Amino acid sequence: MAAAAIKEYAFIWEGVDRKGARIKGVTEGPSESFIKTQLRKQGINPLRVRKQSALFAKRKKKITGQDIAIFSRQLATMMSAGVPLVQAMEIVGRGHANPALGEMVLSIKASIESGSSLAESLAKFPRHFDDLFVNLVDAGEKSGALEALLDKIATYKEKSESLKKKVKKALTYPAAVLVVAFIVTGILLYFVIPQFADLFQGFGADLPAFTKWVIHLSNFIQADWWIVALSVAGVYFAYREAHIRSAAFRRLVDRIMLKIPVVGEIMYKSAVARFARTLSTMFAAGVPLVEAMESVAKAAGNIIFTDAIMSMRDQIATGTQLQLAMQQTALFPNMAVQMVAIGEESGSLDHMCAKVAEFYEEEVDVMVDNLTALLEPMIMVVLGVLVGGLVVAMYLPIFKLGEAI
């Protein structure tokens, strides 16, 4: 008589690896105790294990940059602990919290088993593994130092994602508040102002010009709100398509972004930090400077910097020093140029670039916090003008009526 099949469930777990880093994932098994045993065998001390809800067990999420950073760190940790590459990919693929990334990792594992190198297997997923990532892995495989290179990649991805979050925070917060302000204004114009307009019709007196204008605006929103909605949607999609298809448009937008007070400075310093961090990682991996510059340009995050770095690459290829090429762009801050010059002269370019990256990453962090504090009173002013203006417009006739009485 055949033994009954053991039913397995998906368990979400959190734990600490041999280096003390906190990691998490999803693993299938028959029980919580079984999962804990398997994690300990992998050198992971489980802190929390719980069964995943059936409602979310099969739901896939989009693969984010943070997912790739976590994958990089998990792979680096396991390989440094002596776990073979294929087995490490199996563990990460089966245990990652995002099923979509788990499937991709298992596909990479299958490609490796079929005879491809790790770099070749990663290159099959260019949306998630850019040239920089693939080139560093390729350099690690060729030099026999894949474990060390994976650790550098993991650190680079973690720093890059942290910087992206800071910049996103600087841009998202004011945008979100303004969107909410305009939504509230729209609700007032569509639902509240008409009630006052009906009330004013019985006054039999001429309304103030400001009140008339607000009532006309309310009537337009009520009658033709779809025109406003289509216009907003049209502008958004036109902007997105132009940004995707036109390099000239992206160049214009990025140039304008760099000139916006405070926000532009954050964007500028984050681009310098990305340049220095990427160059430090590539150079430390033994990638030749000219070859590294193309990956550095793609990671800059701003087309103005991308153009400047590609121009620098051409100059370096003809024998120009990196510091002189940076000076000729008139784009990089003097401190960054001087640090690079010291690095070139002392033979520690990767170390000095890492110092530049750390300095500007901290600058961005401080500026984002300052921007949030600076924007709060400005946002209150905008809210006061939008909402307070509507309230004043509706109460002006009542004040005038009180004066007449």
Side-chain angles (χ1 to χ4, degrees):
M1 185 174 177
I6 298 175
K7 190 172 183 180
E8 293 193 342
Y9 304 92
F11 288 86
I12 300 173
W13 56 264
E14 292 183 15
V16 178
D17 62 19
R18 289 188 177 96
K19 291 189 174 182
R22 292 180 70 94
I23 57 175
K24 59 183 178 179
V26 178
T27 304
E28 292 185 354
S31 65
E32 183 178 320
S33 59
F34 175 84
I35 299 299
K36 288 182 178 179
T37 302
Q38 293 300 309
L39 291 174
R40 290 191 183 100
K41 286 181 180 179
Q42 299 168 19
I44 300 170
N45 179 30
L47 300 177
R48 187 172 66 170
V49 178
R50 61 184 176 86
K51 188 184 292 186
Q52 189 177 39
S53 169
L55 180 64
F56 301 102
K58 299 297 181 182
R59 197 164 89 179
K60 291 185 180 180
K61 298 186 295 182
K62 180 181 176 182
I63 298 174
T64 65
Q66 187 62 36
D67 289 329
I68 299 299
I70 292 171
F71 159 73
S72 304
R73 176 57 63 195
Q74 288 177 325
L75 189 60
T77 301
M78 290 184 187
M79 290 202 66
S80 64
V83 180
L85 177 59
V86 172
Q87 187 179 347
M89 298 293 283
E90 174 77 18
I91 293 169
V92 175
R94 298 283 181 198
H96 203 279
N98 187 344
L101 185 130
E103 286 184 12
M104 183 179 71
V105 171
L106 292 176
S107 297
I108 294 169
K109 167 185 167 274
S111 176
I112 294 170
E113 289 176 324
S114 67
S116 299
S117 67
L118 177 57
E120 291 170 344
S121 302
L122 294 174
K124 295 176 182 177
F125 300 90
R127 184 176 177 183
H128 305 296
F129 301 102
D130 55 16
D131 291 342
L132 170 64
F133 199 113
V134 174
N135 289 340
L136 287 174
V137 169
D138 185 51
E141 288 183 302
K142 289 177 179 177
S143 64
L146 182 58
E147 295 86 352
L149 262 296
L150 283 172
D151 185 68
K152 289 184 183 296
I153 292 169
T155 301
Y156 170 77
K157 293 298 290 184
E158 288 163 354
K159 294 283 187 181
S160 297
E161 287 304 311
S162 175
L163 187 61
K164 282 181 185 177
K165 283 183 180 178
K166 292 170 187 174
V167 175
K168 197 172 182 180
K169 178 183 175 183
L171 299 176
T172 302
Y173 175 67
V177 174
L178 289 176
V179 167
V180 171
F182 280 108
I183 290 174
V184 170
T185 302
I187 291 172
L188 290 175
L189 287 170
Y190 193 88
F191 294 103
V192 179
I193 302 302
Q195 305 299 321
F196 280 91
D198 293 340
L199 176 65
F200 294 154
Q201 283 181 353
F203 278 13
D206 193 30
L207 298 175
F210 185 35
T211 304
K212 286 182 180 179
W213 181 82
V214 170
I215 290 175
H216 288 321
L217 181 60
S218 174
N219 292 336
F220 171 75
I221 295 294
Q222 283 185 296
D224 300 312
W225 61 268
W226 57 273
I227 294 178
V228 177
L230 285 178
S231 298
V232 171
V235 169
Y236 169 74
F237 285 111
Y239 170 84
R240 192 179 70 172
E241 287 299 309
H243 201 270
I244 293 171
R245 299 175 186 278
S246 173
F249 182 77
R250 289 197 302 274
R251 194 170 285 107
L252 174 64
V253 170
D254 284 356
R255 186 175 287 110
I256 292 172
M257 288 294 291
L258 290 175
K259 292 181 179 179
I260 297 175
V262 185
V263 173
E265 193 171 354
I266 291 174
M267 301 290 287
Y268 173 77
K269 290 184 176 180
S270 66
V272 174
R274 273 193 292 266
F275 163 81
R277 176 69 60 189
T278 310
L279 184 58
S280 170
T281 305
M282 295 289 285
F283 203 72
V287 180
L289 185 56
V290 175
E291 186 179 329
M293 292 301 284
E294 187 167 353
S295 295
V296 173
K298 290 179 180 177
N302 185 292
I303 198 168
I304 305 301
F305 274 85
T306 298
D307 292 343
I309 295 167
M310 292 303 289
S311 174
M312 288 162 53
R313 185 198 66 170
D314 295 338
Q315 293 179 53
I316 293 168
T318 61
T320 305
Q321 285 187 309
L322 176 59
Q323 56 156 318
L324 294 176
M326 290 175 67
Q327 281 181 336
Q328 289 174 17
T329 63
L331 188 61
F332 292 90
N334 186 60
M335 192 274 275
V337 175
Q338 294 304 319
M339 292 283 278
V340 167
I342 294 170
E344 284 188 301
E345 291 171 5
S346 62
S348 57
L349 182 60
D350 56 333
H351 178 70
M352 297 308 292
C353 283
K355 290 292 184 183
V356 172
E358 288 170 9
F359 175 80
Y360 283 104
E361 284 164 357
E362 289 177 8
E363 285 275 295
V364 169
D365 199 11
V366 171
M367 290 193 70
V368 168
D369 291 338
N370 290 342
L371 177 65
T372 303
L374 177 66
L375 284 174
E376 284 176 357
M378 294 177 64
I379 288 170
M380 292 301 294
V381 170
V382 172
L383 288 172
V385 170
L386 288 175
V387 179
L390 296 180
V391 172
V392 169
M394 292 303 99
Y395 276 92
L396 274 176
I398 298 174
F399 293 151
K400 285 199 169 186
L401 182 63
E403 290 174 5
I405 294 173

